Amino acid sequence: MTEIGNKMQKHYYALELDKILTRAADLTACPDAKEIMLNITPQKNLDKVNALLKETSDAHALSGRFGSPSFGGLIDVTDSLRRSKTGSSLSTAELLNIAKVLHVIRTLKDWRKKSQTAATALDIRFDTLIPSRYVEDKITSSIISEDEIADNASTELANIRRKIRLTSSKARDQLDKMIRSSVVQKYLQDNIITMRSGRFVIPVKAECRGNVPGLVHDTSGSGQTVFIEPMAIVEANNEIKVLESKEQDEIARILYKLTAEVAEIANQIIRSYQSAVELNVIFAKADLAYKMKAALPLMNNEGIIELKKARHPLIDPEKVVAANVTLGIDFDTLIITGPNTGGKTVSLKLIGLLSLMAMCGFMIPAADNCRLSVFDYVFADIGDEQSIEQSLSTFSAHITNTIDILKICNNRSLVLLDELGAGTDPIEGAALAIAILQDFRSKRAKIACTTHYAELKAFALQTKGVENGSCEFDVATLRPTYKLLIGVPGRSNAFAISLRLGMEKELVEKAEQLVSSESREFENVVSALEKQQQGLDKKAKEIENARRKAVKAQRKAEEELAKVRREAENEIEKARQEAQQLMSKTRAQALALLDEIEAAKKKTDVEAEDKAKLKSQIKALEQTADPIAKKANDGYTLPRKLKVGDEVLIFDIDKNGTVLELPDSSGKVLVQAGIIQTRVNLSNLRLLNSKKKKQNYTTSKRAVNRSNLDVKAVTEVDLRGMTAIEAIMELESAIDSAIMMNMNQITIIHGKGTGVLRNEVQKYLKTCKYVKSFRLGVYGEGEAGVTIAELK
């Protein structure tokens, strides 16, 4: 790192960037990602910064919708992969680690596929993730643990182990018989089978070692027991040893083969691992953004800083006070004043730390659409820099830092100075502070500093491009509010604080008299400005509360509207279902009624009771099929008494008819409506002027479907008096009209007569592709004088 780089690290440390990096590093899942996070440095190129922020923002959005991907198991296997390419054989532990990395790569790839969203800035890294399910499964199916290879790793290994188990079983059986034998049992220390040096042995009493022929492999610590391998199983033990040697050779071959499989895709795994580590870093930044409730800042190159409701990320979220800070828009220098422990230093660190975070690709804890700038240098002279080793006072340490900053500072620098000019004579310190600020301004740097000097407050009021700021202090409670006010110089509040703490009023008044009149006037102006600012803040809060109430009311109204719409849709759906049920019920009743009418026709004599029953059923069917309430009588009075032959309107069903008989004793008139003769109440009739159209008498239409109007023109066709050719042409036109109006039935009136016209009609209907079936009319429909055709 260069000398300037080392010096900049000191400034980053003063602004506590290292603490932010540590927090983010703790959210990573692997050592490499943690190391990368801890070594992140602010970028000076705007495009690079925007690219980093876009990655973090996209990761933030994906995590919010689909949850953060898992990086657990991500291990650096680069060295193992490189050794595999040299022909070396990897150990079981190394191969299992490679399998873990392949598993992470595969799960990351699958996670991105499942999160089906538009393209993101992360896709270039996700695209370089190349999983290998074959190699991953090959390793995990062959290696059970670091100390165990699976039997199914190869056919040869399975055979060898099967032979070992078989031979071991035979040896055990022989030894088992031996230790149960009464001849040998008396020489044994214990009736058990054990192993020494990988060979089966039995424990024999030391004094009886000559009674059990075999090879001695071990002696107990007390010397009372010797472990003998009986001659009967020496051959079996030898065979087991040979098989175990073959097993180790086969395991070595399996590991070498797995290593060769890994070597073929070693470069692919290394690239995928590096991309996975980079993704881990980016998603750790996104996780930190969620914990801080952060937003994406808008970056610029012009030195513009505009923070809205910004919060210092290292202060307890329950205690932190949000601040609004601007710099580089209307002024390039901000002088913050106010009492000690009022939040001045926190305000300086907030400006610097959030700028550094954004330049590192972190989202910031602030409101949306904040603006921050990319700087070449972010300098911070903050805190007590007194050095005992260098024999420097606080003043000297600050001045030394300031001199170093002045040497490097340029027009793309942010300079943050705490207690500028403090630690020396106030008059000289104030003058020196003003000179330093002027020098920094000549370099066109962006500056924010804190001070107690009234001279600097006056300098800000008198100098264009320099603005006062203050940290608000509540004199009533003697506590700072930590709220930063731009445009208002701060007050020391020494006299007010002294009074509140109990100092005698006469003493405080004497001190006030010692202050120059100019200073008193200045403090009075500052006090007036503070009160005005507080009043404006109060009004702003009231406006904000009113706005929130309005938004809440609007939201409630929208919810009510949505609720009403949902209820309307539910009612419409309910009505549709009821109409469908009504139609099905009516159809069933109609079919049943037709069956009864057909049966009645076949009888030679129909009794009056049967006719009344049929009429009653027809009336009930009409009522069932017409759920619409009849129109109430509108107070109409007939202009004269009716005569036979008068044209009338049946009011409730909106149907024309002709009077056939005058009213009977019950007030009912026999009316011919189409082919139907019916009796209608006199009050339900409207006398029509035959020279006028019906529409003149139907000012209030019945609330029915459009298809119920002018039904006769579609469902009936009168062919009486026509020749066969004319009748067929008229019938074709009527069928076309009925099909266009989605009718499924048409009544054809041809009369009884000689039956010639009826035969021609039915002959045509047999060949018409739009006719499903047809039949003669029944009682009440016109009987043999009409044909009812059912359309497809």
Side-chain angles (χ1 to χ4, degrees), residues 431-537:
L432 185 59
I434 292 173
I436 290 171
L437 289 179
Q438 289 174 337
D439 197 352
F440 277 125
R441 294 194 70 217
S442 68
K443 298 177 184 293
R444 296 168 57 197
K446 301 298 179 289
I447 311 140
C449 70
T450 67
T451 184
H452 284 287
Y453 293 142
E455 290 84 352
L456 287 180
K457 302 176 190 178
F459 172 71
L461 290 172
Q462 298 166 1
T463 308
K464 185 178 180 182
V466 183
E467 186 62 86
N468 273 305
S470 63
C471 289
E472 191 178 57
F473 188 86
D474 190 344
V475 179
T477 61
L478 297 181
R479 291 181 180 177
T481 65
Y482 301 105
K483 185 175 181 182
L484 181 64
L485 306 176
I486 303 294
V488 180
R491 302 169 61 201
S492 65
N493 296 297
F495 296 148
I497 293 173
S498 298
L499 279 173
R500 290 286 298 174
L501 293 175
M503 183 174 284
E504 292 182 5
K505 186 176 180 181
E506 293 78 7
L507 185 58
V508 174
E509 288 177 350
K510 186 177 180 179
E512 287 178 342
Q513 291 173 1
L514 294 175
V515 178
S516 65
S517 59
E518 292 84 359
S519 297
R520 284 199 299 272
E521 289 175 4
F522 181 78
E523 289 294 326
N524 290 336
V525 171
V526 170
S527 178
L529 286 173
E530 282 187 354
K531 290 180 180 178
Q532 184 180 8
Q533 181 69 38
Q534 291 171 357
L536 291 173
D537 288 346

Side-chain angles (χ1 to χ4, degrees), residues 707-753:
S707 60
N708 289 335
L709 303 177
D710 298 328
V711 174
K712 182 176 179 181
V714 177
T715 60
E716 294 179 359
V717 56
D718 192 348
L719 307 180
R720 290 175 294 185
M722 299 183 184
T723 64
I725 296 175
E726 291 173 344
I728 297 304
M729 291 178 65
E730 185 67 16
L731 179 57
E732 284 180 345
S733 177
I735 290 174
D736 290 341
S737 298
I739 290 172
M740 289 177 65
M741 296 183 70
N742 295 322
M743 305 303 296
N744 57 10
Q745 184 175 290
I746 185 170
T747 301
I748 306 163
I749 306 172
H750 44 64
K752 297 180 181 178

Side-chain angles (χ1 to χ4, degrees), residues 1-12 21 38-42 44:
M1 188 177 292
T2 63
E3 183 180 353
I4 292 179
N6 288 325
K7 289 183 178 180
M8 293 313 300
Q9 288 295 326
K10 172 185 173 182
H11 296 289
Y12 301 158
L21 297 179
L38 291 173
N39 289 296
I40 287 177
T41 56
K44 300 178 182 180

Side-chain angles (χ1 to χ4, degrees), residues 671-686:
V671 177
Q672 176 81 36
I675 63 172
I676 302 297
Q677 293 183 5
T678 181
R679 291 192 176 274
V680 184
N681 287 328
L682 183 63
S683 60
N684 196 27
L685 295 179
R686 305 289 183 269

Side-chain angles (χ1 to χ4, degrees), residues 49-61:
V49 171
N50 280 330
L52 292 174
L53 286 171
K54 182 67 168 64
E55 290 177 341
T56 306
S57 175
D58 286 349
H60 185 265

Side-chain angles (χ1 to χ4, degrees), residues 584-598 621:
S584 301
K585 181 179 179 182
T586 305
R587 185 183 292 113
Q589 290 178 347
L591 292 174
L593 183 60
L594 288 174
D595 291 340
E596 291 189 22
I597 293 172
E598 191 67 28
L621 180 61

Side-chain angles (χ1 to χ4, degrees), residues 42 51 72 105 108 150 162 168 205 265 284 341 350 409 522 560 569 626 640 692 708 789:
I105 293 169
L108 287 174
R162 181 177 54 78
S168 297
K205 297 175 183 177
I265 59 170
T341 69
L350 179 68
C409 181
F522 181 78
E560 289 292 335
E569 291 174 358
D626 187 6
R640 60 174 176 81
K692 294 182 180 180
N708 289 335

